[in-house]
Amino acid sequence: MTADYILETRGLTKEFKGFTAVNQVDLKVRRGTIHALIGPNGAGKTTCFNLLTKFLQPTRGAISYNGRDITRMKPADVARLGLIRSFQISAVFPHLTVLENVRIALQRSRGASFDFWRSDTALDSFNERALELIEWVGLSDYAGSVAVEMPYGRKRALEIATTLALEPEMMLLDEPTAGMGHEDIDRIVQLVKRVSAGRTVLMVEHNLSVVSTLCETITVLTRGQVLAEGDYQSVSTNPEVIQAYMGTAHG
Amino acid sequence: MAAPISAPASAQAGLPLPTTGMPRHQVIALAVMVLFFALAPFAGLYSVFLMKVMCFALFACAFNLLLGYVGLLSFGHAAYFGFSSYLAAHAAKAWGFTPELAILFAVAGSALIGLAFGALAIRRQGIYFAMITLALAQMVFFFCLQAPFTGGENGIQSVPRPPLFGFIPMQGDLQVYWLVFALFIGGFLLVYRIVHSPFGQVLKAIRENEPRAISLGYRVDHYKLIAFVLSAALAGLAGAAKAFVVQLASLTDVAWQMSGEVVLMTLVGGMGTMFGPVVGAFTIITMQTYLAEFGAWVTVIQGGIFLLCVLAFRRGIVGEVARLTRKSF
Ligand SMILES: Nc1ncnc2c1ncn2[C@@H]1O[C@H](COP(=O)(O)OP(=O)(O)O)[C@@H](O)[C@H]1O
Ligand SMILES: [Mg+2]
């Protein structure tokens, strides 16, 4: 029943000069769910994201998205299929305003990105939609602010607004709440919940209370390999998972 | 660590700023520049000197489009400037092309070379990009040294100045002056438009955060290549105009030293600023012209100025003005 799964990998492997960062990973992400990828630092989660979005070329294995083999595709083309990622370090255009950040995405999906002979006032036609998205993530007060000057949590919200402008079918979020205080975490959790309506989300997340609130399925990765998979209840009581987490600094 | 939703300081920042075209201080700077070049030949400044300044200013603007707005350091821009100069000179001298056709032909030629060289270089980053552009430009240099039509060490001399469009006389320096003036201002405005266009906005995004631009589905190499071709074509425009100014196309303009000089002009004036390359070209050409009596010392003085810029005015002349006035020029 492949149709149930939007993203599937078979034997996904990445080696860096003899070191295997991702090892024989078979991942299946069910359409319309929020799926978590957890594991200690250095487990290979970010590498996995880089492989799925083709920022890295896998050493072995295959990736299929919507039943289509994307193993050999270029990252920009994967994005054009509706699979959009964020980055572990915040992914905004720092010296553009919030409004301009969102317009960059709108510009790509609605054309006008090659027009070098037109005035940039042509971009004002995207303002209405951009402001809608900015309001949707609760950044209306910041629309004219330069991205770099915003607090960290707001940058993450801006990233989501920018991603949403492309109306992606699937979003990959790499540690969306890392380094945030309670208030910001709550806001991002609510946002991810709203964003997930009608789409699939795969997220790397260290905060287990966030994982338990949001995610239906959890895949635990250690040393590049899948250690366990299932819902929060089954994963959190799995002795091997507890063992793996005991050995590291965070919970 | 985050501000609450109703952060008072954000109330003002929150106003979405509509994009409004050229800001007032830039309009004023542009008017000053246009007036200066329109009036200077009547104020006693030597018109050939001014034309050279305009040609190099346009060349530097073209180079700055790539360095300042895409972040690519080409170390072979003399190839487009100098080879275009040969193309225009040859078309006018051997085929009897009128100036506008010779220039058009030369610009098309440089754009094509830019397309080929850009496609080879664009995938590399940083120093590798600079090295490839330099290597390709050296190929153009040796081609110009050997090819039968370029006149070897002598270059193409006594380039004619046939009437523009076949009926506007171009014999006098002042008549050529207005052609160069029009090309320079037109080229400058085109660079301005490219930078401040939807395309320019994507370039900005790529420069700010390339992985993010890719993850939004931008095929960034396409944008870089288009910018490269536009830059090569504009450098070619400057070179073609210069062939009519000095009535000569020579190896000096395709040599690697010329590639270095345009880097110098751009950095001295301020890379990534609109008016910086113009100020930089003016500064360097003025030094070369009026300090010519010092002979080899010009190079030393130039080196000194460059050092001063790198150490004290890292943003270049216009870049520092922009920093002090907190406005972009
Ligand atoms: N480009 C790279 N070159 C070499 N090693 C890498 C590279 N990227 C990641 N690694 C290594 O792969 C392992 C997994 O890293 P990563 O995927 O970032 O882990 P995680 O996101 O789970 O913390 C780490 O040991 C890291 O050092
Ligand atoms: Mg990581």
Side-chain angles (χ1 to χ4, degrees):
Chain A
M1 283 296 287
T2 29
D4 274 339
Y5 295 104
I6 186 166
L7 188 74
E8 276 184 75
T9 71
R10 267 165 290 114
L12 195 63
T13 301
K14 180 68 188 179
E15 290 168 3
F16 295 112
K17 291 176 186 146
F19 171 75
T20 311
V22 172
N23 193 359
Q24 293 289 333
V25 168
D26 297 309
L27 185 71
K28 285 182 172 185
V29 181
R30 201 177 286 276
R31 189 184 301 280
T33 61
I34 306 181
H35 190 129
L37 193 58
I38 67 170
N41 267 327
K45 306 178 296 293
T46 298
T47 306
C48 233
F49 267 29
N50 284 333
L51 292 172
L52 295 174
T53 49
K54 302 316 317 300
F55 278 70
L56 285 174
Q57 190 59 33
T59 312
R60 276 183 299 282
I63 310 162
S64 78
Y65 172 72
N66 266 332
R68 182 170 177 177
D69 187 353
I70 60 165
T71 316
R72 303 277 147 208
M73 276 184 134
K74 290 194 170 142
D77 296 325
V78 170
R80 283 158 179 258
L81 294 177
L83 174 60
I84 313 274
R85 70 174 297 179
S86 73
F87 294 82
Q88 189 165 346
I89 44 156
S90 120
V92 296
F93 301 111
H95 298 103
L96 302 187
T97 65
V98 168
L99 181 74
E100 286 172 332
N101 263 271
V102 178
R103 288 198 317 198
I104 292 288
L106 288 170
Q107 216 181 321
R108 212 278 283 143
S109 58
R110 298 181 173 198
S113 59
F114 283 111
D115 303 1
F116 63 79
W117 57 89
R118 284 169 75 193
S119 162
D120 53 10
T121 50
L123 296 172
D124 284 343
S125 63
F126 301 139
N127 285 0
E128 198 182 319
R129 177 63 186 145
L131 289 170
E132 253 173 52
L133 288 159
I134 289 165
E135 189 189 341
W136 202 82
V137 300
L139 288 181
S140 288
D141 287 345
Y142 289 89
S145 310
V146 176
V148 71
E149 287 163 7
M150 286 199 300
Y152 184 72
R154 308 294 179 155
K155 283 186 196 151
R156 287 266 136 163
L158 169 59
E159 247 178 84
I160 291 175
T162 309
T163 303
L164 282 177
L166 297 172
E167 291 165 25
E169 210 182 340
M170 179 167 182
M171 285 168 75
L172 304 189
L173 306 172
D174 199 349
E175 304 197 16
T177 67
M180 282 183 193
H182 276 302
E183 202 184 347
D184 274 340
I185 291 181
D186 288 346
R187 200 178 296 123
I188 295 294
V189 166
Q190 293 313 314
L191 201 53
V192 172
K193 210 175 250 173
R194 285 168 67 202
V195 158
S196 69
R199 50 174 68 87
T200 313
V201 176
L202 175 64
M203 61 194 281
V204 170
E205 183 55 64
H206 279 312
N207 187 321
L208 292 182
S209 90
V210 171
V211 172
S212 69
T213 326
L214 284 175
C215 307
E216 282 113 303
T217 316
I218 296 153
T219 301
V220 186
L221 215 59
T222 47
R223 294 194 206 93
Q225 282 177 301
V226 176
L227 182 68
E229 189 171 282
D231 59 15
Y232 185 75
Q233 189 58 32
S234 77
V235 164
S236 62
T237 52
N238 182 321
E240 280 188 284
V241 174
I242 294 167
Q243 176 67 30
Y245 265 84
M246 297 275 253
T248 64
H250 55 258
Chain B
M1 66 186 271
I5 284 186
S6 55
S10 70
Q12 210 174 5
L15 294 171
L17 310 160
T19 328
T20 47
M22 199 186 273
R24 211 169 60 109
H25 64 276
Q26 287 184 9
V27 175
I28 294 170
L30 177 65
V32 169
M33 184 180 86
V34 171
L35 280 176
F36 172 80
F37 284 107
L39 301 177
F42 306 104
L45 280 169
Y46 187 41
S47 71
V48 174
F49 159 73
L50 289 166
M51 284 192 280
K52 267 166 103 179
V53 168
M54 288 191 287
C55 289
F56 281 106
L58 182 55
F59 182 24
C61 286
F63 172 79
N64 182 45
L65 177 62
L66 211 51
L67 178 64
Y69 295 98
V70 193
L72 292 173
L73 172 60
S74 157
F75 208 82
H77 251 49
Y80 318 108
F81 179 75
F83 194 66
S84 177
S85 180
Y86 276 113
L87 289 177
H90 183 71
K93 193 169 178 182
W95 304 334
F97 276 29
T98 48
E100 77 287 355
L101 286 180
I103 289 171
L104 210 60
F105 168 72
V107 168
S110 0
L112 275 178
I113 302 171
L115 182 64
F117 287 7
L120 288 170
I122 224 80
R123 280 158 210 284
R124 309 287 185 279
Q125 314 277 336
I127 191 72
Y128 298 102
F129 178 83
M131 276 161 57
I132 290 181
T133 50
L134 173 61
L136 292 167
Q138 284 306 94
M139 280 172 41
V140 173
F141 177 83
F142 286 112
F143 176 80
C144 291
L145 185 62
Q146 300 295 337
F149 79 95
T150 52
E153 302 276 356
N154 300 324
I156 303 177
Q157 299 182 357
S158 324
V159 176
R161 288 173 172 177
L164 188 65
F165 302 113
F167 65 90
I168 304 172
M170 281 285 131
Q171 293 311 315
D173 277 344
L174 203 57
Q175 289 153 327
V176 178
Y177 189 89
W178 293 118
L179 172 64
V180 175
F181 176 79
L183 292 176
F184 164 60
I185 300 296
F188 180 89
L189 290 175
L190 180 59
V191 172
Y192 185 91
R193 172 41 50 87
I194 294 168
V195 170
H196 300 91
S197 70
F199 173 76
Q201 190 71 2
V202 177
L203 291 182
K204 209 166 169 185
I206 293 173
R207 205 178 65 226
E208 295 250 300
N209 192 340
E210 184 164 337
R212 180 53 169 168
I214 295 171
S215 84
L216 294 176
Y218 282 108
R219 294 165 177 147
V220 296
D221 285 351
H222 293 8
Y223 295 84
K224 290 182 185 175
L225 184 56
I226 291 173
F228 195 98
V229 171
L230 289 168
S231 173
L234 282 160
L237 179 63
K242 188 178 174 245
F244 287 101
V245 172
V246 293
Q247 298 187 274
L248 170 73
S250 75
L251 286 172
T252 320
D253 291 342
V254 272
W256 65 267
Q257 288 92 332
M258 186 55 71
S259 296
E261 216 153 274
V262 77
V263 177
L264 183 69
M265 289 173 186
T266 306
L267 293 185
V268 166
M271 74 171 208
T273 65
M274 275 294 136
F275 294 92
V278 180
V279 173
F282 187 86
T283 311
I284 300 293
I285 301 296
T286 304
M287 279 183 354
Q288 287 174 354
T289 309
Y290 293 97
L291 301 181
E293 59 198 271
F294 294 100
W297 286 101
V298 179
T299 323
V300 176
I301 296 171
Q302 248 180 53
I305 294 211
F306 186 53
L307 214 64
L308 189 74
C309 272
V310 172
L311 295 176
F313 312 109
R314 262 183 304 159
R315 293 159 222 261
I317 299 167
V318 174
E320 292 296 336
V321 170
R323 188 177 62 89
L324 292 174
T325 57
R326 301 178 134 269
K327 286 188 162 79
S328 70
F329 281 96

